[in-house]
Amino acid sequence: MAIGLFLSFLGLVAFSLWVFREKGFTGDAVRTIPPFEEVVSVPEGFRDAVGEIDRSVYRVLFDSGIDEESVSFERVIPQHRDGIVWDYAELSVRCSNEESARKLAHALAQNADVYDAPKIRGRILSSTGGRMVIEISKDNLRTHLVSLVWGVPEDRKAPRHPKLAIVIDDIGYDQRMADALMCLDFPLSLSILPYGPFSRDALEKCEERGLEVLLHLPMEPKGYPEVDPGEGAVLLQMDEIQIVDALDRALERVPGVKGVNNHMGSAFSENLQKMRVVFAFLKSHDLYYLDSRTSPRSVAIDLAGDLGLEAVSRNVFLDDDPSLRAVKTQMERLLSLARHNGSAVGIGHPYESTLQVLRESASRIRSEFEVVAVSELVKTR
């Protein structure tokens, strides 16, 4: 009897530890774990190296006296080669004259702090007509292209208050974090997973605060079924009727949304036939589509243009690397893109680091940008 009671006690302790480890504890409510984020296989050290290159470029620019207004992220786009996926960035930097541009070019191309690392290289590609171009690469894959320009100023002027939309995905699992994000001093757009334990609670609070809500639709990722997108996912094996049924049920769980974006979906978003079914459904329900761009081969934006569906693509993932330093760097990318292109869309997740960076950036964002719902940036082609 004593042995049996002891074994039962051990079992209870083990179960309690599992609950705390697997589900977390917020003090007043159990916080369950959401479906895993889609993780792309990247060679060891590659992601860290690209992040360090990012920080190094900022350091060189600002240590050289370049002000923030003179730095423009022209493009931040996902690249894919040999199983490696990374965000490739093109920057334009306005210099006071040719001499300062040359000094800056050599500093960028010969940054010993970073380029001593294995297989990271910087080189000057060209210098013609008031422009010098520097390429930075890792493992022979170009990660950054920096154009230094001087002379006659460009005609383009950034709007006084560029528009910025920030979307937080994966809402419905961490109640405490969702509440904290909703209380920020600027409006976020929240994308709610349809089958989260707190999805209905989050939806009601968003409605009370007047925040725009998206349906965060689980889609089949590469590596499925080992990589699980969660309950209610649309899958490549589904026919049209099954896909429409899954969409109907998801909207019943998160009613009143303005748009939809994909949770995972690197495999599904590349399939023209399946995405056509989804987009026909969205158009019939007057919903827009935000392409999370989990695959650089996504057909979403081109297809939306062909079908006349309102759509927009995210510009920056704020916390693909959730470390605080990386999120700060991604926030600078997002703000620069909005500042120089007139608008930008960033996607983040309910992470402590993301919340901290948003709080720290709140004052600057409110004063320099017009924070808008995603629906204000969607367009048809």
Side-chain angles (χ1 to χ4, degrees):
M1 173 70 73
I3 293 176
L5 288 173
F6 180 69
L7 291 175
S8 298
F9 172 75
L10 287 181
L12 179 60
V13 170
F15 176 76
S16 299
L17 290 174
W18 177 86
V19 168
F20 274 78
R21 185 182 68 249
E22 295 296 321
K23 303 200 173 196
F25 192 73
T26 62
D28 54 2
V30 172
R31 175 170 54 87
T32 56
I33 300 298
F36 291 113
E37 284 303 311
E38 188 166 3
V39 178
V40 179
S41 178
V42 178
E44 185 176 357
F46 192 92
R47 186 190 301 274
D48 291 340
V50 173
E52 186 53 42
I53 292 170
D54 260 340
R55 291 184 285 275
S56 171
V57 169
Y58 276 117
R59 195 160 51 240
V60 169
L61 292 177
F62 299 128
D63 285 353
S64 300
I66 299 295
D67 62 81
E68 187 177 337
E69 296 295 322
S70 298
V71 181
S72 169
F73 276 97
E74 302 292 339
R75 296 197 299 166
V76 178
I77 55 177
Q79 296 288 310
H80 181 283
R81 188 186 301 173
D82 300 328
I84 303 173
V85 176
W86 74 102
D87 272 348
Y88 157 73
E90 290 185 2
L91 294 81
S92 178
V93 181
R94 177 152 291 282
C95 302
S96 57
N97 52 52
E98 182 176 358
E99 181 181 359
S100 64
R102 289 191 180 280
K103 289 180 180 179
L104 185 55
H106 286 287
L108 287 168
Q110 300 173 13
N111 188 349
D113 290 345
V114 176
Y115 306 150
D116 282 346
K119 298 184 179 179
I120 296 180
R121 298 288 182 267
R123 64 186 181 123
I124 299 174
L125 286 184
S126 63
S127 177
T128 57
R131 180 182 297 267
M132 297 186 71
V133 180
I134 298 91
E135 175 192 64
I136 305 173
S137 62
K138 161 69 175 171
D139 295 335
N140 295 318
L141 301 176
R142 179 185 290 176
T143 63
H144 297 72
L145 199 68
V146 185
S147 296
L148 308 179
V149 297
W150 64 92
V152 180
E154 296 174 338
D155 292 334
R156 183 182 62 178
K157 292 183 179 180
R160 181 172 176 80
H161 288 288
K163 293 185 177 181
L164 181 68
I166 299 177
V167 182
I168 303 296
D169 283 350
D170 293 352
I171 298 299
Y173 282 82
D174 190 328
Q175 195 173 32
R176 179 188 63 83
M177 185 62 69
D179 289 345
L181 289 161
M182 291 182 202
C183 290
L184 289 171
D185 290 335
F186 53 87
L188 301 172
S189 299
L190 300 188
S191 191
I192 300 179
L193 285 160
Y195 295 96
F198 304 117
S199 294
R200 178 64 66 168
D201 175 79
L203 177 63
E204 291 174 356
K205 289 176 178 176
C206 284
E207 290 173 346
E208 291 172 2
R209 291 171 169 82
L211 300 178
E212 184 158 295
V213 175
L214 295 85
L215 167 65
H216 199 32
L217 178 67
M219 289 184 174
E220 181 173 330
K222 292 177 180 176
Y224 177 82
E226 287 76 16
V227 181
D228 181 11
E231 186 177 357
V234 290
L235 306 172
L236 292 175
Q237 68 189 27
M238 291 179 171
D239 60 26
E240 181 175 349
I241 294 175
Q242 291 171 316
I243 292 173
V244 169
D245 181 60
L247 289 165
D248 272 327
R249 286 186 285 110
L251 284 183
E252 287 176 3
R253 304 278 302 191
V254 192
V257 299
K258 295 290 185 67
V260 173
N261 76 320
N262 52 298
H263 173 68
M264 300 195 183
S266 58
F268 197 96
S269 65
E270 293 181 1
N271 188 291
L272 191 63
Q273 179 184 359
K274 302 299 182 180
M275 288 296 288
R276 190 181 294 275
V277 175
V278 172
F279 281 8
F281 178 93
L282 298 187
K283 191 170 183 181
S284 69
H285 286 72
D286 197 25
L287 299 172
Y288 67 78
Y289 186 75
L290 166 62
D291 186 6
S292 300
R293 281 198 339 194
T294 54
S295 168
R297 297 172 179 170
S298 170
V299 301
I301 296 302
D302 287 342
L303 178 61
D306 293 341
L307 298 178
L309 175 72
E310 289 190 330
V312 67
S313 180
R314 65 96 185 160
N315 297 104
V316 173
F317 268 133
L318 291 174
D319 47 21
D320 199 27
D321 174 353
S323 67
L324 185 61
R325 188 166 62 167
V327 177
K328 287 181 177 179
T329 298
Q330 290 298 90
M331 177 61 76
E332 291 304 322
R333 277 186 167 186
L334 177 64
L335 299 184
S336 179
L337 282 167
R339 185 179 294 110
H340 292 278
N341 296 328
S343 65
V345 179
I347 291 181
H349 298 84
Y351 301 150
E352 290 288 351
S353 56
T354 305
L355 176 62
Q356 180 176 335
V357 171
L358 288 170
R359 280 175 172 164
E360 292 174 354
S361 306
S363 177
R364 179 159 59 119
I365 289 175
R366 288 197 310 273
S367 64
E368 298 180 16
F369 300 87
E370 180 186 355
V371 184
V372 299
V374 184
S375 56
E376 291 196 34
L377 299 183
V378 297
K379 57 185 178 181
T380 56
R381 189 179 65 194

